[in-house]
Amino acid sequence: MSPRGVATPDVRERLFAAAERVVERDGPGALTSRAVTTEAGCAKGLLHTHFAGLDAFVAELCLDRFARAAAQAQALSRLTGRNTVAGNLDTVVLALLDAAGPALSGLAMSRAASTQRIREALEGGAPGFTAIEEAITAYLAAEQRLGRVAGAVDPGTAALAIVGTAHHLLMTGGPGTPDPQPSMTRLVTMLVAGKESSDTP
């Protein structure tokens, strides 16, 4: 355990990862600042040194995971014409479900102050579902120009279906509910199946 006064490297990510483990293992109700720092193996006051309380910490955790998923979605442009469209999309969608999974969504929803902070940050331009939807739309349009997505497919509508379904599964998931990943994989496959080449130049 890091003693007081000793710098902890990558402290934000260390605390974020610890919080995810606590919530996944014990549920949202078990998350306290002490539970996080104990899980992280660091000084008890460390969370409050870096965040303005537990609500701010939870908001920053969720926003960080949304940003990661958005960055991965934006990286789709580099895969245009490579692998399969379904496979490329599936990787991004599964990353979204993993990075902002039902446990984290349930945690944010259980804390009104955290939810408000997240909403304000997203309205202020922080990357979230809208950024992911825009990236998927651009990617599908690029693949469509290469003939790997049928001309009848509307990229924006397909992206909305993918992101909207992911959002629904995140908001309604939780302990005891089915794993959302197979449903998302089936949806992505249905939207692009038979519309692409599986060549990997």
Side-chain angles (χ1 to χ4, degrees), residues 54-67 100-101 103-129 167 171:
L54 190 59
D55 287 325
F57 171 78
V58 170
E60 289 295 325
L61 167 58
C62 292
L63 289 167
D64 179 86
R65 291 344 192 198
F66 283 143
L104 280 188
S105 299
L107 173 62
M109 291 176 65
S110 70
R111 308 186 70 90
S114 297
T115 301
Q116 182 62 28
R117 285 174 179 266
I118 293 169
R119 182 179 297 113
E120 291 172 355
L122 294 176
E123 290 173 352
F129 287 105
H167 184 272
M171 294 300 105

PDB file of all heavy atoms in Angstrom, residues 54-67 100-101 103-129 167 171:
ATOM      1  N   LEU A  54     -17.015  11.301  -4.200  1.00  0.00           N
ATOM      2  CA  LEU A  54     -17.309  10.040  -4.878  1.00  0.00           C
ATOM      3  C   LEU A  54     -18.171  10.243  -6.115  1.00  0.00           C
ATOM      4  O   LEU A  54     -17.991   9.551  -7.126  1.00  0.00           O
ATOM      5  CB  LEU A  54     -17.985   9.067  -3.909  1.00  0.00           C
ATOM      6  CG  LEU A  54     -18.144   7.623  -4.389  1.00  0.00           C
ATOM      7  CD1 LEU A  54     -16.786   7.009  -4.721  1.00  0.00           C
ATOM      8  CD2 LEU A  54     -18.860   6.783  -3.330  1.00  0.00           C
ATOM      9  N   ASP A  55     -19.121  11.186  -6.075  1.00  0.00           N
ATOM     10  CA  ASP A  55     -19.961  11.428  -7.247  1.00  0.00           C
ATOM     11  C   ASP A  55     -19.119  11.909  -8.428  1.00  0.00           C
ATOM     12  O   ASP A  55     -19.324  11.476  -9.565  1.00  0.00           O
ATOM     13  CB  ASP A  55     -21.048  12.462  -6.928  1.00  0.00           C
ATOM     14  CG  ASP A  55     -22.134  11.892  -6.029  1.00  0.00           C
ATOM     15  OD1 ASP A  55     -22.453  10.695  -6.159  1.00  0.00           O
ATOM     16  OD2 ASP A  55     -22.656  12.638  -5.180  1.00  0.00           O
ATOM     17  N   ALA A  56     -18.187  12.805  -8.163  1.00  0.00           N
ATOM     18  CA  ALA A  56     -17.298  13.285  -9.229  1.00  0.00           C
ATOM     19  C   ALA A  56     -16.431  12.145  -9.746  1.00  0.00           C
ATOM     20  O   ALA A  56     -16.185  12.031 -10.959  1.00  0.00           O
ATOM     21  CB  ALA A  56     -16.429  14.420  -8.711  1.00  0.00           C
ATOM     22  N   PHE A  57     -15.975  11.289  -8.862  1.00  0.00           N
ATOM     23  CA  PHE A  57     -15.155  10.138  -9.261  1.00  0.00           C
ATOM     24  C   PHE A  57     -15.932   9.219 -10.188  1.00  0.00           C
ATOM     25  O   PHE A  57     -15.423   8.807 -11.248  1.00  0.00           O
ATOM     26  CB  PHE A  57     -14.699   9.379  -8.017  1.00  0.00           C
ATOM     27  CG  PHE A  57     -14.037   8.061  -8.315  1.00  0.00           C
ATOM     28  CD1 PHE A  57     -12.723   8.010  -8.758  1.00  0.00           C
ATOM     29  CD2 PHE A  57     -14.725   6.866  -8.151  1.00  0.00           C
ATOM     30  CE1 PHE A  57     -12.105   6.802  -9.045  1.00  0.00           C
ATOM     31  CE2 PHE A  57     -14.126   5.655  -8.429  1.00  0.00           C
ATOM     32  CZ  PHE A  57     -12.809   5.619  -8.875  1.00  0.00           C
ATOM     33  N   VAL A  58     -17.175   8.894  -9.818  1.00  0.00           N
ATOM     34  CA  VAL A  58     -17.994   8.008 -10.642  1.00  0.00           C
ATOM     35  C   VAL A  58     -18.239   8.628 -12.016  1.00  0.00           C
ATOM     36  O   VAL A  58     -18.151   7.949 -13.048  1.00  0.00           O
ATOM     37  CB  VAL A  58     -19.325   7.695  -9.942  1.00  0.00           C
ATOM     38  CG1 VAL A  58     -20.294   6.986 -10.891  1.00  0.00           C
ATOM     39  CG2 VAL A  58     -19.086   6.828  -8.711  1.00  0.00           C
ATOM     40  N   ALA A  59     -18.532   9.918 -12.050  1.00  0.00           N
ATOM     41  CA  ALA A  59     -18.758  10.600 -13.327  1.00  0.00           C
ATOM     42  C   ALA A  59     -17.509  10.544 -14.196  1.00  0.00           C
ATOM     43  O   ALA A  59     -17.578  10.243 -15.394  1.00  0.00           O
ATOM     44  CB  ALA A  59     -19.180  12.049 -13.080  1.00  0.00           C
ATOM     45  N   GLU A  60     -16.362  10.829 -13.611  1.00  0.00           N
ATOM     46  CA  GLU A  60     -15.112  10.814 -14.377  1.00  0.00           C
ATOM     47  C   GLU A  60     -14.783   9.409 -14.876  1.00  0.00           C
ATOM     48  O   GLU A  60     -14.264   9.237 -15.985  1.00  0.00           O
ATOM     49  CB  GLU A  60     -13.965  11.348 -13.517  1.00  0.00           C
ATOM     50  CG  GLU A  60     -14.025  12.830 -13.260  1.00  0.00           C
ATOM     51  CD  GLU A  60     -13.857  13.653 -14.526  1.00  0.00           C
ATOM     52  OE1 GLU A  60     -13.090  13.228 -15.419  1.00  0.00           O
ATOM     53  OE2 GLU A  60     -14.514  14.692 -14.641  1.00  0.00           O
ATOM     54  N   LEU A  61     -15.092   8.409 -14.075  1.00  0.00           N
ATOM     55  CA  LEU A  61     -14.871   7.025 -14.490  1.00  0.00           C
ATOM     56  C   LEU A  61     -15.703   6.704 -15.728  1.00  0.00           C
ATOM     57  O   LEU A  61     -15.191   6.177 -16.734  1.00  0.00           O
ATOM     58  CB  LEU A  61     -15.225   6.080 -13.344  1.00  0.00           C
ATOM     59  CG  LEU A  61     -15.361   4.591 -13.675  1.00  0.00           C
ATOM     60  CD1 LEU A  61     -14.084   4.040 -14.291  1.00  0.00           C
ATOM     61  CD2 LEU A  61     -15.742   3.807 -12.419  1.00  0.00           C
ATOM     62  N   CYS A  62     -16.995   7.014 -15.687  1.00  0.00           N
ATOM     63  CA  CYS A  62     -17.870   6.711 -16.820  1.00  0.00           C
ATOM     64  C   CYS A  62     -17.460   7.500 -18.061  1.00  0.00           C
ATOM     65  O   CYS A  62     -17.428   6.964 -19.169  1.00  0.00           O
ATOM     66  CB  CYS A  62     -19.322   7.013 -16.444  1.00  0.00           C
ATOM     67  SG  CYS A  62     -19.993   5.891 -15.195  1.00  0.00           S
ATOM     68  N   LEU A  63     -17.128   8.783 -17.880  1.00  0.00           N
ATOM     69  CA  LEU A  63     -16.721   9.604 -19.016  1.00  0.00           C
ATOM     70  C   LEU A  63     -15.423   9.102 -19.632  1.00  0.00           C
ATOM     71  O   LEU A  63     -15.244   9.132 -20.858  1.00  0.00           O
ATOM     72  CB  LEU A  63     -16.566  11.063 -18.574  1.00  0.00           C
ATOM     73  CG  LEU A  63     -17.883  11.779 -18.259  1.00  0.00           C
ATOM     74  CD1 LEU A  63     -17.608  13.094 -17.544  1.00  0.00           C
ATOM     75  CD2 LEU A  63     -18.697  12.016 -19.533  1.00  0.00           C
ATOM     76  N   ASP A  64     -14.505   8.631 -18.785  1.00  0.00           N
ATOM     77  CA  ASP A  64     -13.256   8.080 -19.292  1.00  0.00           C
ATOM     78  C   ASP A  64     -13.513   6.847 -20.143  1.00  0.00           C
ATOM     79  O   ASP A  64     -12.919   6.681 -21.215  1.00  0.00           O
ATOM     80  CB  ASP A  64     -12.341   7.728 -18.118  1.00  0.00           C
ATOM     81  CG  ASP A  64     -11.021   7.120 -18.574  1.00  0.00           C
ATOM     82  OD1 ASP A  64     -10.092   7.894 -18.873  1.00  0.00           O
ATOM     83  OD2 ASP A  64     -10.927   5.878 -18.631  1.00  0.00           O
ATOM     84  N   ARG A  65     -14.418   5.983 -19.693  1.00  0.00           N
ATOM     85  CA  ARG A  65     -14.700   4.760 -20.448  1.00  0.00           C
ATOM     86  C   ARG A  65     -15.453   5.070 -21.740  1.00  0.00           C
ATOM     87  O   ARG A  65     -15.228   4.428 -22.772  1.00  0.00           O
ATOM     88  CB  ARG A  65     -15.490   3.782 -19.590  1.00  0.00           C
ATOM     89  CG  ARG A  65     -14.749   3.131 -18.406  1.00  0.00           C
ATOM     90  CD  ARG A  65     -13.263   3.250 -18.458  1.00  0.00           C
ATOM     91  NE  ARG A  65     -12.595   2.392 -17.472  1.00  0.00           N
ATOM     92  CZ  ARG A  65     -11.342   2.549 -17.082  1.00  0.00           C
ATOM     93  NH1 ARG A  65     -10.614   3.547 -17.578  1.00  0.00           N
ATOM     94  NH2 ARG A  65     -10.788   1.731 -16.208  1.00  0.00           N
ATOM     95  N   PHE A  66     -16.345   6.067 -21.708  1.00  0.00           N
ATOM     96  CA  PHE A  66     -17.009   6.491 -22.938  1.00  0.00           C
ATOM     97  C   PHE A  66     -15.978   7.010 -23.944  1.00  0.00           C
ATOM     98  O   PHE A  66     -16.045   6.724 -25.135  1.00  0.00           O
ATOM     99  CB  PHE A  66     -18.032   7.591 -22.649  1.00  0.00           C
ATOM    100  CG  PHE A  66     -19.311   7.100 -22.045  1.00  0.00           C
ATOM    101  CD1 PHE A  66     -19.959   7.845 -21.077  1.00  0.00           C
ATOM    102  CD2 PHE A  66     -19.886   5.906 -22.438  1.00  0.00           C
ATOM    103  CE1 PHE A  66     -21.141   7.409 -20.510  1.00  0.00           C
ATOM    104  CE2 PHE A  66     -21.075   5.455 -21.875  1.00  0.00           C
ATOM    105  CZ  PHE A  66     -21.706   6.213 -20.911  1.00  0.00           C
ATOM    106  N   ALA A  67     -15.026   7.811 -23.452  1.00  0.00           N
ATOM    107  CA  ALA A  67     -14.004   8.388 -24.330  1.00  0.00           C
ATOM    108  C   ALA A  67     -13.159   7.291 -24.971  1.00  0.00           C
ATOM    109  O   ALA A  67     -12.788   7.380 -26.149  1.00  0.00           O
ATOM    110  CB  ALA A  67     -13.127   9.352 -23.541  1.00  0.00           C
ATOM    111  N   ALA A 100     -18.034   0.389 -20.941  1.00  0.00           N
ATOM    112  CA  ALA A 100     -19.101   1.096 -20.234  1.00  0.00           C
ATOM    113  C   ALA A 100     -20.216   0.104 -19.940  1.00  0.00           C
ATOM    114  O   ALA A 100     -21.374   0.322 -20.254  1.00  0.00           O
ATOM    115  CB  ALA A 100     -19.615   2.252 -21.081  1.00  0.00           C
ATOM    116  N   GLY A 101     -19.821  -1.020 -19.389  1.00  0.00           N
ATOM    117  CA  GLY A 101     -20.731  -2.137 -19.198  1.00  0.00           C
ATOM    118  C   GLY A 101     -21.895  -1.864 -18.279  1.00  0.00           C
ATOM    119  O   GLY A 101     -21.993  -0.814 -17.650  1.00  0.00           O
ATOM    120  N   ALA A 103     -22.603  -2.824 -15.386  1.00  0.00           N
ATOM    121  CA  ALA A 103     -22.257  -2.518 -14.005  1.00  0.00           C
ATOM    122  C   ALA A 103     -21.981  -1.031 -13.831  1.00  0.00           C
ATOM    123  O   ALA A 103     -22.466  -0.397 -12.879  1.00  0.00           O
ATOM    124  CB  ALA A 103     -21.037  -3.333 -13.571  1.00  0.00           C
ATOM    125  N   LEU A 104     -21.222  -0.448 -14.757  1.00  0.00           N
ATOM    126  CA  LEU A 104     -20.922   0.983 -14.669  1.00  0.00           C
ATOM    127  C   LEU A 104     -22.156   1.823 -14.943  1.00  0.00           C
ATOM    128  O   LEU A 104     -22.372   2.856 -14.304  1.00  0.00           O
ATOM    129  CB  LEU A 104     -19.821   1.353 -15.664  1.00  0.00           C
ATOM    130  CG  LEU A 104     -18.392   1.041 -15.271  1.00  0.00           C
ATOM    131  CD1 LEU A 104     -17.440   1.661 -16.280  1.00  0.00           C
ATOM    132  CD2 LEU A 104     -18.083   1.581 -13.882  1.00  0.00           C
ATOM    133  N   SER A 105     -22.952   1.415 -15.909  1.00  0.00           N
ATOM    134  CA  SER A 105     -24.173   2.161 -16.209  1.00  0.00           C
ATOM    135  C   SER A 105     -25.106   2.158 -15.012  1.00  0.00           C
ATOM    136  O   SER A 105     -25.698   3.184 -14.658  1.00  0.00           O
ATOM    137  CB  SER A 105     -24.877   1.549 -17.425  1.00  0.00           C
ATOM    138  OG  SER A 105     -24.053   1.613 -18.556  1.00  0.00           O
ATOM    139  N   GLY A 106     -25.237   1.008 -14.374  1.00  0.00           N
ATOM    140  CA  GLY A 106     -26.068   0.926 -13.177  1.00  0.00           C
ATOM    141  C   GLY A 106     -25.537   1.784 -12.053  1.00  0.00           C
ATOM    142  O   GLY A 106     -26.292   2.411 -11.305  1.00  0.00           O
ATOM    143  N   LEU A 107     -24.224   1.839 -11.953  1.00  0.00           N
ATOM    144  CA  LEU A 107     -23.599   2.669 -10.925  1.00  0.00           C
ATOM    145  C   LEU A 107     -23.924   4.131 -11.158  1.00  0.00           C
ATOM    146  O   LEU A 107     -24.330   4.849 -10.235  1.00  0.00           O
ATOM    147  CB  LEU A 107     -22.087   2.456 -10.944  1.00  0.00           C
ATOM    148  CG  LEU A 107     -21.246   3.368 -10.052  1.00  0.00           C
ATOM    149  CD1 LEU A 107     -21.624   3.172  -8.590  1.00  0.00           C
ATOM    150  CD2 LEU A 107     -19.769   3.107 -10.270  1.00  0.00           C
ATOM    151  N   ALA A 108     -23.752   4.604 -12.388  1.00  0.00           N
ATOM    152  CA  ALA A 108     -24.028   6.010 -12.691  1.00  0.00           C
ATOM    153  C   ALA A 108     -25.496   6.341 -12.452  1.00  0.00           C
ATOM    154  O   ALA A 108     -25.829   7.399 -11.906  1.00  0.00           O
ATOM    155  CB  ALA A 108     -23.634   6.318 -14.132  1.00  0.00           C
ATOM    156  N   MET A 109     -26.380   5.437 -12.862  1.00  0.00           N
ATOM    157  CA  MET A 109     -27.805   5.697 -12.709  1.00  0.00           C
ATOM    158  C   MET A 109     -28.242   5.712 -11.254  1.00  0.00           C
ATOM    159  O   MET A 109     -29.258   6.317 -10.903  1.00  0.00           O
ATOM    160  CB  MET A 109     -28.605   4.643 -13.484  1.00  0.00           C
ATOM    161  CG  MET A 109     -28.464   4.759 -14.994  1.00  0.00           C
ATOM    162  SD  MET A 109     -29.313   3.435 -15.873  1.00  0.00           S
ATOM    163  CE  MET A 109     -31.024   3.781 -15.439  1.00  0.00           C
ATOM    164  N   SER A 110     -27.492   5.051 -10.394  1.00  0.00           N
ATOM    165  CA  SER A 110     -27.853   5.002  -8.981  1.00  0.00           C
ATOM    166  C   SER A 110     -27.398   6.240  -8.223  1.00  0.00           C
ATOM    167  O   SER A 110     -27.729   6.411  -7.050  1.00  0.00           O
ATOM    168  CB  SER A 110     -27.245   3.747  -8.330  1.00  0.00           C
ATOM    169  OG  SER A 110     -25.831   3.875  -8.222  1.00  0.00           O
ATOM    170  N   ARG A 111     -26.662   7.128  -8.884  1.00  0.00           N
ATOM    171  CA  ARG A 111     -26.129   8.327  -8.240  1.00  0.00           C
ATOM    172  C   ARG A 111     -26.541   9.533  -9.074  1.00  0.00           C
ATOM    173  O   ARG A 111     -25.944   9.835 -10.107  1.00  0.00           O
ATOM    174  CB  ARG A 111     -24.611   8.250  -8.108  1.00  0.00           C
ATOM    175  CG  ARG A 111     -24.109   6.974  -7.446  1.00  0.00           C
ATOM    176  CD  ARG A 111     -22.612   7.019  -7.221  1.00  0.00           C
ATOM    177  NE  ARG A 111     -22.256   7.985  -6.193  1.00  0.00           N
ATOM    178  CZ  ARG A 111     -22.172   7.693  -4.890  1.00  0.00           C
ATOM    179  NH1 ARG A 111     -22.410   6.469  -4.468  1.00  0.00           N
ATOM    180  NH2 ARG A 111     -21.841   8.636  -4.026  1.00  0.00           N
ATOM    181  N   ALA A 112     -27.580  10.231  -8.612  1.00  0.00           N
ATOM    182  CA  ALA A 112     -28.145  11.341  -9.388  1.00  0.00           C
ATOM    183  C   ALA A 112     -27.106  12.419  -9.683  1.00  0.00           C
ATOM    184  O   ALA A 112     -27.069  12.984 -10.787  1.00  0.00           O
ATOM    185  CB  ALA A 112     -29.331  11.943  -8.643  1.00  0.00           C
ATOM    186  N   ALA A 113     -26.245  12.717  -8.717  1.00  0.00           N
ATOM    187  CA  ALA A 113     -25.250  13.766  -8.923  1.00  0.00           C
ATOM    188  C   ALA A 113     -24.245  13.355  -9.994  1.00  0.00           C
ATOM    189  O   ALA A 113     -23.806  14.189 -10.801  1.00  0.00           O
ATOM    190  CB  ALA A 113     -24.526  14.076  -7.611  1.00  0.00           C
ATOM    191  N   SER A 114     -23.887  12.081 -10.030  1.00  0.00           N
ATOM    192  CA  SER A 114     -22.974  11.589 -11.059  1.00  0.00           C
ATOM    193  C   SER A 114     -23.630  11.670 -12.433  1.00  0.00           C
ATOM    194  O   SER A 114     -23.005  12.089 -13.415  1.00  0.00           O
ATOM    195  CB  SER A 114     -22.561  10.148 -10.762  1.00  0.00           C
ATOM    196  OG  SER A 114     -21.852  10.053  -9.554  1.00  0.00           O
ATOM    197  N   THR A 115     -24.892  11.258 -12.499  1.00  0.00           N
ATOM    198  CA  THR A 115     -25.623  11.305 -13.759  1.00  0.00           C
ATOM    199  C   THR A 115     -25.684  12.723 -14.300  1.00  0.00           C
ATOM    200  O   THR A 115     -25.502  12.958 -15.499  1.00  0.00           O
ATOM    201  CB  THR A 115     -27.043  10.746 -13.577  1.00  0.00           C
ATOM    202  OG1 THR A 115     -26.971   9.397 -13.112  1.00  0.00           O
ATOM    203  CG2 THR A 115     -27.817  10.773 -14.884  1.00  0.00           C
ATOM    204  N   GLN A 116     -25.937  13.686 -13.421  1.00  0.00           N
ATOM    205  CA  GLN A 116     -25.999  15.078 -13.842  1.00  0.00           C
ATOM    206  C   GLN A 116     -24.652  15.557 -14.372  1.00  0.00           C
ATOM    207  O   GLN A 116     -24.571  16.243 -15.393  1.00  0.00           O
ATOM    208  CB  GLN A 116     -26.448  15.959 -12.676  1.00  0.00           C
ATOM    209  CG  GLN A 116     -26.592  17.437 -13.025  1.00  0.00           C
ATOM    210  CD  GLN A 116     -27.643  17.696 -14.089  1.00  0.00           C
ATOM    211  OE1 GLN A 116     -28.613  16.940 -14.220  1.00  0.00           O
ATOM    212  NE2 GLN A 116     -27.458  18.753 -14.867  1.00  0.00           N
ATOM    213  N   ARG A 117     -23.578  15.183 -13.696  1.00  0.00           N
ATOM    214  CA  ARG A 117     -22.239  15.563 -14.159  1.00  0.00           C
ATOM    215  C   ARG A 117     -21.935  14.966 -15.528  1.00  0.00           C
ATOM    216  O   ARG A 117     -21.361  15.626 -16.396  1.00  0.00           O
ATOM    217  CB  ARG A 117     -21.189  15.085 -13.150  1.00  0.00           C
ATOM    218  CG  ARG A 117     -21.118  15.910 -11.868  1.00  0.00           C
ATOM    219  CD  ARG A 117     -20.154  15.259 -10.888  1.00  0.00           C
ATOM    220  NE  ARG A 117     -20.027  16.014  -9.645  1.00  0.00           N
ATOM    221  CZ  ARG A 117     -19.087  16.919  -9.402  1.00  0.00           C
ATOM    222  NH1 ARG A 117     -18.185  17.183 -10.336  1.00  0.00           N
ATOM    223  NH2 ARG A 117     -19.033  17.559  -8.258  1.00  0.00           N
ATOM    224  N   ILE A 118     -22.317  13.717 -15.716  1.00  0.00           N
ATOM    225  CA  ILE A 118     -22.087  13.061 -16.998  1.00  0.00           C
ATOM    226  C   ILE A 118     -22.879  13.752 -18.094  1.00  0.00           C
ATOM    227  O   ILE A 118     -22.354  14.036 -19.184  1.00  0.00           O
ATOM    228  CB  ILE A 118     -22.463  11.570 -16.914  1.00  0.00           C
ATOM    229  CG1 ILE A 118     -21.503  10.835 -15.968  1.00  0.00           C
ATOM    230  CG2 ILE A 118     -22.450  10.927 -18.304  1.00  0.00           C
ATOM    231  CD1 ILE A 118     -21.942   9.437 -15.618  1.00  0.00           C
ATOM    232  N   ARG A 119     -24.147  14.046 -17.819  1.00  0.00           N
ATOM    233  CA  ARG A 119     -24.988  14.712 -18.809  1.00  0.00           C
ATOM    234  C   ARG A 119     -24.407  16.067 -19.201  1.00  0.00           C
ATOM    235  O   ARG A 119     -24.332  16.406 -20.383  1.00  0.00           O
ATOM    236  CB  ARG A 119     -26.403  14.894 -18.257  1.00  0.00           C
ATOM    237  CG  ARG A 119     -27.373  15.541 -19.250  1.00  0.00           C
ATOM    238  CD  ARG A 119     -28.761  15.679 -18.681  1.00  0.00           C
ATOM    239  NE  ARG A 119     -29.346  14.375 -18.384  1.00  0.00           N
ATOM    240  CZ  ARG A 119     -29.610  13.952 -17.150  1.00  0.00           C
ATOM    241  NH1 ARG A 119     -29.323  14.699 -16.097  1.00  0.00           N
ATOM    242  NH2 ARG A 119     -30.146  12.768 -16.964  1.00  0.00           N
ATOM    243  N   GLU A 120     -23.993  16.826 -18.223  1.00  0.00           N
ATOM    244  CA  GLU A 120     -23.427  18.148 -18.507  1.00  0.00           C
ATOM    245  C   GLU A 120     -22.137  18.043 -19.320  1.00  0.00           C
ATOM    246  O   GLU A 120     -21.900  18.841 -20.237  1.00  0.00           O
ATOM    247  CB  GLU A 120     -23.174  18.895 -17.197  1.00  0.00           C
ATOM    248  CG  GLU A 120     -24.446  19.304 -16.474  1.00  0.00           C
ATOM    249  CD  GLU A 120     -24.185  19.877 -15.094  1.00  0.00           C
ATOM    250  OE1 GLU A 120     -23.000  19.872 -14.661  1.00  0.00           O
ATOM    251  OE2 GLU A 120     -25.152  20.325 -14.447  1.00  0.00           O
ATOM    252  N   ALA A 121     -21.317  17.049 -19.000  1.00  0.00           N
ATOM    253  CA  ALA A 121     -20.068  16.873 -19.744  1.00  0.00           C
ATOM    254  C   ALA A 121     -20.344  16.486 -21.191  1.00  0.00           C
ATOM    255  O   ALA A 121     -19.699  17.001 -22.120  1.00  0.00           O
ATOM    256  CB  ALA A 121     -19.205  15.820 -19.067  1.00  0.00           C
ATOM    257  N   LEU A 122     -21.298  15.589 -21.409  1.00  0.00           N
ATOM    258  CA  LEU A 122     -21.632  15.176 -22.770  1.00  0.00           C
ATOM    259  C   LEU A 122     -22.224  16.339 -23.556  1.00  0.00           C
ATOM    260  O   LEU A 122     -21.902  16.533 -24.740  1.00  0.00           O
ATOM    261  CB  LEU A 122     -22.609  13.999 -22.736  1.00  0.00           C
ATOM    262  CG  LEU A 122     -22.058  12.685 -22.164  1.00  0.00           C
ATOM    263  CD1 LEU A 122     -23.160  11.637 -22.090  1.00  0.00           C
ATOM    264  CD2 LEU A 122     -20.888  12.167 -22.993  1.00  0.00           C
ATOM    265  N   GLU A 123     -23.074  17.128 -22.909  1.00  0.00           N
ATOM    266  CA  GLU A 123     -23.642  18.297 -23.577  1.00  0.00           C
ATOM    267  C   GLU A 123     -22.558  19.326 -23.897  1.00  0.00           C
ATOM    268  O   GLU A 123     -22.683  20.094 -24.851  1.00  0.00           O
ATOM    269  CB  GLU A 123     -24.731  18.923 -22.700  1.00  0.00           C
ATOM    270  CG  GLU A 123     -25.985  18.066 -22.591  1.00  0.00           C
ATOM    271  CD  GLU A 123     -26.988  18.616 -21.590  1.00  0.00           C
ATOM    272  OE1 GLU A 123     -26.644  19.583 -20.865  1.00  0.00           O
ATOM    273  OE2 GLU A 123     -28.113  18.092 -21.523  1.00  0.00           O
ATOM    274  N   GLY A 124     -21.499  19.309 -23.106  1.00  0.00           N
ATOM    275  CA  GLY A 124     -20.392  20.227 -23.331  1.00  0.00           C
ATOM    276  C   GLY A 124     -19.393  19.743 -24.362  1.00  0.00           C
ATOM    277  O   GLY A 124     -18.388  20.417 -24.617  1.00  0.00           O
ATOM    278  N   GLY A 125     -19.631  18.567 -24.939  1.00  0.00           N
ATOM    279  CA  GLY A 125     -18.760  18.077 -25.997  1.00  0.00           C
ATOM    280  C   GLY A 125     -17.897  16.883 -25.646  1.00  0.00           C
ATOM    281  O   GLY A 125     -17.115  16.416 -26.487  1.00  0.00           O
ATOM    282  N   ALA A 126     -17.996  16.369 -24.425  1.00  0.00           N
ATOM    283  CA  ALA A 126     -17.227  15.173 -24.080  1.00  0.00           C
ATOM    284  C   ALA A 126     -17.682  14.015 -24.965  1.00  0.00           C
ATOM    285  O   ALA A 126     -18.871  13.876 -25.252  1.00  0.00           O
ATOM    286  CB  ALA A 126     -17.425  14.824 -22.606  1.00  0.00           C
ATOM    287  N   PRO A 127     -16.762  13.173 -25.431  1.00  0.00           N
ATOM    288  CA  PRO A 127     -17.140  12.074 -26.329  1.00  0.00           C
ATOM    289  C   PRO A 127     -18.007  11.040 -25.623  1.00  0.00           C
ATOM    290  O   PRO A 127     -17.745  10.666 -24.488  1.00  0.00           O
ATOM    291  CB  PRO A 127     -15.796  11.486 -26.761  1.00  0.00           C
ATOM    292  CG  PRO A 127     -14.841  11.886 -25.682  1.00  0.00           C
ATOM    293  CD  PRO A 127     -15.314  13.211 -25.175  1.00  0.00           C
ATOM    294  N   GLY A 128     -19.054  10.636 -26.315  1.00  0.00           N
ATOM    295  CA  GLY A 128     -19.958   9.636 -25.765  1.00  0.00           C
ATOM    296  C   GLY A 128     -20.659   8.907 -26.896  1.00  0.00           C
ATOM    297  O   GLY A 128     -20.069   8.668 -27.961  1.00  0.00           O
ATOM    298  N   PHE A 129     -21.930   8.570 -26.692  1.00  0.00           N
ATOM    299  CA  PHE A 129     -22.659   7.788 -27.692  1.00  0.00           C
ATOM    300  C   PHE A 129     -22.765   8.522 -29.023  1.00  0.00           C
ATOM    301  O   PHE A 129     -22.701   7.901 -30.092  1.00  0.00           O
ATOM    302  CB  PHE A 129     -24.055   7.433 -27.167  1.00  0.00           C
ATOM    303  CG  PHE A 129     -24.038   6.379 -26.101  1.00  0.00           C
ATOM    304  CD1 PHE A 129     -24.247   6.712 -24.774  1.00  0.00           C
ATOM    305  CD2 PHE A 129     -23.815   5.052 -26.417  1.00  0.00           C
ATOM    306  CE1 PHE A 129     -24.222   5.739 -23.783  1.00  0.00           C
ATOM    307  CE2 PHE A 129     -23.796   4.064 -25.438  1.00  0.00           C
ATOM    308  CZ  PHE A 129     -23.996   4.418 -24.119  1.00  0.00           C
ATOM    309  N   HIS A 167     -26.934   1.137 -26.200  1.00  0.00           N
ATOM    310  CA  HIS A 167     -27.373   1.983 -25.087  1.00  0.00           C
ATOM    311  C   HIS A 167     -28.486   1.301 -24.304  1.00  0.00           C
ATOM    312  O   HIS A 167     -28.478   1.270 -23.065  1.00  0.00           O
ATOM    313  CB  HIS A 167     -27.838   3.329 -25.626  1.00  0.00           C
ATOM    314  CG  HIS A 167     -28.231   4.303 -24.568  1.00  0.00           C
ATOM    315  ND1 HIS A 167     -29.518   4.373 -24.061  1.00  0.00           N
ATOM    316  CD2 HIS A 167     -27.514   5.244 -23.898  1.00  0.00           C
ATOM    317  CE1 HIS A 167     -29.570   5.316 -23.133  1.00  0.00           C
ATOM    318  NE2 HIS A 167     -28.368   5.855 -23.015  1.00  0.00           N
ATOM    319  N   MET A 171     -28.343   0.119 -20.365  1.00  0.00           N
ATOM    320  CA  MET A 171     -29.239   0.696 -19.369  1.00  0.00           C
ATOM    321  C   MET A 171     -30.120  -0.350 -18.692  1.00  0.00           C
ATOM    322  O   MET A 171     -30.586  -0.143 -17.575  1.00  0.00           O
ATOM    323  CB  MET A 171     -30.135   1.764 -20.008  1.00  0.00           C
ATOM    324  CG  MET A 171     -29.406   2.994 -20.500  1.00  0.00           C
ATOM    325  SD  MET A 171     -28.519   3.899 -19.197  1.00  0.00           S
ATOM    326  CE  MET A 171     -26.816   3.438 -19.555  1.00  0.00           C
TER     327      MET A 171
END
